[in-house]
Structure formats: C-alpha cells, structure tokens
Amino acid sequence: MSLVPITDMLHDAKKNRYAVGHFNMINMEFAQAICEAASEERAPVILGVGEATIQYMGIDYVVSIAECAAKRSRVPVALHLDHGSSFPVIAQCIRAGFSSVMIDGSHHPLEQNVALTQKVVELAHAAGVSVEGELGSIAGTEEDVTVEEKDAQLPTVEEAVSFWEQTKVDVLAVAVGTAHGLYQAEPNVRCDRIADISSRINAPLVLHGGSGVKEEVIQQAISAGAAKINVNTENQVAFAESTRSVLNQKPVIADARDFLREGRAAIKETVRAKIRLFGSNNRV
Ligand SMILES: [Zn+2]
C-alpha cells in the first residue's frame, strides 16, 4: 500500500477504544521491524521521523525507505514528522512525500502556537496530509530537544478545546504528565484530563512518551481516549541491548549484519508487544 494520512486510522481507534502505535524509525532495520510486526499483527501503524533523523539519513532516504516498507505491508502505514519545529521544515516534508506532520509550537506563546498551527493545517490539508498539533510542553528529551520537568505544563480542558477549535488539527497531543526518554520516577498520567478533553473535541488525542509507562496506565489512557501512543525509547533500548550482547559474545565481528539482524528482531518483538497492548492488532 502507499503511505496514508493518520486521520482515518485514528478516528477508528478513538471510536473503538484502541490506540495506534507510533514508532520512531531511524534506519532501514527499524522500518522493516516496525512494518513487519504491524503486518503480522494486522495493525495500522505510524512510522515517526524527527528532524534529527532527517538530518542523519537525508530526507530522500527517509521517504524512500518508508514508501518501500509501506508497499511491502498488508496494513495502512503512515510516515509522520515527529515534533516538527517550523513551517519551512513542514513544507519540506510535505514536498518530499510525508503523509502526515506534527507541528510542535508548544515552545511558543499560545497565540503564536495557534497562528503557526493554523498555517500548517492550511498547507497540509491542501496536500491531503494530516496534522498533529501540540499544546502544553512534554518533559524530557526527544532527539535534540529537551524540556525540563519544571517547564512542562499541563493545559486545562478549556485551553485544549479552544486550541482545537481555532486550529482544527486532525489529531491533538496534549501534555498529560508523560515525558520523553527514560523515566526516573513513576509518571503521574492524568487520564481524567484525557477523558475530559477527548469527550469535548472530535480529534483523537495522542500520548507522547509512551515508553516505560505501566501497562495498566496505558490501558486506562486508551479507555480515556488516547488513540495514538508514541514509543521510541523502548525500541532503542531493545536494539542496543541485543546488539551489545552479540558484540560481547563475539568480540571479533567481520560482518555488521550479524548484530543488525539481532537488533532488528529485538525491535520487531518490542513493537509486536506494544501493538497487542494497545489493542490495534486484528484491525485490518
Ligand atoms: Zn513526543
């Protein structure tokens, strides 16, 4: 199949109370592992790519690898810009073939965030590309962007409703207490806030920082209305641990495929477990 926007898959998820997994891909092995797990589980899936990865791989490699993975998949696959920081980056991704974009204007004052997000929605919708907006900043480090915990803000229900009414984003990420990266302490995820916002707006909600959140909390967040859950760190850890173990066992390695193959298999099983936890399996 070709790459698709995330709107339809997430509306189905919101309606039927499951969540679609957004998994960050940084190279071919990640793309293969994520899409193979999704195909086998018959789950729609989102390949998330941040700006640092675009710089690392080159945008043409990103799109070509995602298109190839989607073509080989028997399920809907979206290529989604994760935490897009500016209008020029968004425009570049849309031109290059991304099927979905996130504009993260949360570091701007609210009015500026609204104005920037409106501009992105206009451009993206004209190209048939879906848009995720962000309100309130999510703590932790995502690629090269760090938000200190004290600076992370949880918006009120009214603020979220007003942001959505003004911008008409297809999907909304709201800070609800999760953080990017590895958790130092148990996060206090405000599922009550997710439920209140979800019942007041048509757009599905996104939970960022899904790695390391307890399974029962993930299930509560999905019941409350989280329809897209972002996972990156757990795949990175799975890849690092499995490749490190191969390298430790065989200090002299002449073929990088010996450890890449193991890393890819480890990501695939991590993704499969998340898909089942999110309830997105057997949906296609
Ligand atoms: Zn995020």
Side-chain angles (χ1 to χ4, degrees):
M1 298 172 80
S2 3
L3 294 166
V4 297
I6 60 177
T7 320
D8 288 350
M9 61 169 87
L10 294 187
H11 274 282
D12 188 71
K14 179 173 179 174
K15 194 171 119 209
N16 295 298
R17 298 284 156 151
Y18 66 93
V20 175
H22 161 133
F23 304 101
N24 289 75
M25 73 113 163
I26 57 157
N27 62 16
M28 181 190 76
E29 282 75 14
F30 273 66
Q32 288 175 328
I34 294 162
C35 289
E36 280 173 21
S39 282
E40 286 171 20
E41 293 296 318
R42 295 173 46 219
V45 76
I46 299 164
L47 292 172
V49 173
E51 290 177 27
T53 302
I54 292 174
Q55 274 167 16
Y56 172 76
M57 289 174 67
I59 198 162
D60 47 351
Y61 272 99
V62 169
V63 175
S64 298
I65 288 174
E67 281 176 344
C68 180
K71 211 157 90 185
R72 283 180 171 226
S73 300
R74 297 181 295 275
V75 294
V77 177
L79 174 59
H80 181 74
L81 172 65
D82 195 20
H83 292 281
S85 65
S86 68
F87 190 79
V89 170
I90 299 279
Q92 186 197 17
C93 288
I94 292 174
R95 266 200 312 273
F98 279 59
S99 59
S100 188
V101 290
M102 174 184 187
I103 175 68
D104 180 355
S106 62
H107 44 283
H108 294 301
L110 182 61
E111 261 175 51
Q112 247 174 288
N113 185 3
V114 168
L116 174 61
T117 306
Q118 283 170 333
K119 217 169 119 185
V120 165
V121 168
E122 197 180 336
L123 179 79
H125 283 182
V129 168
S130 49
V131 179
E132 173 181 345
E134 178 171 325
L135 186 62
S137 8
I138 295 157
T141 300
E142 176 77 14
E143 300 208 328
D144 47 5
V145 182
T146 297
V147 175
E148 297 296 333
E149 209 163 324
K150 62 177 171 43
D151 295 329
Q153 300 159 352
L154 306 194
T156 64
V157 176
E158 281 65 35
E159 285 167 342
V161 172
S162 154
F163 182 82
W164 178 70
E165 282 172 348
Q166 290 180 78
T167 60
K168 286 292 185 295
V169 283
D170 302 291
V171 188
L172 181 60
V174 187
V176 288
T178 52
H180 293 124
L182 293 169
Y183 288 100
Q184 310 297 332
E186 190 72 32
N188 175 24
V189 183
R190 295 289 306 272
C191 292
D192 56 328
R193 192 68 63 88
I194 298 173
D196 288 344
I197 297 169
S198 178
S199 66
R200 300 260 312 265
I201 68 173
N202 185 35
L205 295 180
V206 183
L207 191 68
H208 282 249
S211 288
V213 178
K214 275 192 177 163
E215 293 196 354
E216 59 261 37
V217 177
I218 290 286
Q219 277 156 351
Q220 284 162 16
I222 294 170
S223 307
K228 169 176 178 277
I229 300 182
N230 290 20
V231 173
N232 179 28
T233 307
E234 280 182 61
N235 282 332
Q236 301 286 0
V237 170
F239 185 82
E241 280 178 354
S242 67
T243 51
R244 190 181 298 120
S245 141
V246 176
L247 291 167
N248 284 344
Q249 282 162 29
K250 294 192 221 168
V252 183
I253 241 166
D255 189 335
R257 287 169 298 190
D258 288 351
F259 56 86
L260 289 173
R261 196 178 283 116
E262 294 299 318
R264 181 172 60 189
I267 299 167
K268 187 172 168 181
E269 291 319 306
T270 306
V271 170
R272 189 193 305 284
K274 291 293 171 197
I275 284 172
R276 291 181 183 178
L277 171 65
F278 299 165
S280 60
N281 51 329
N282 300 323
R283 300 286 180 176
V284 180

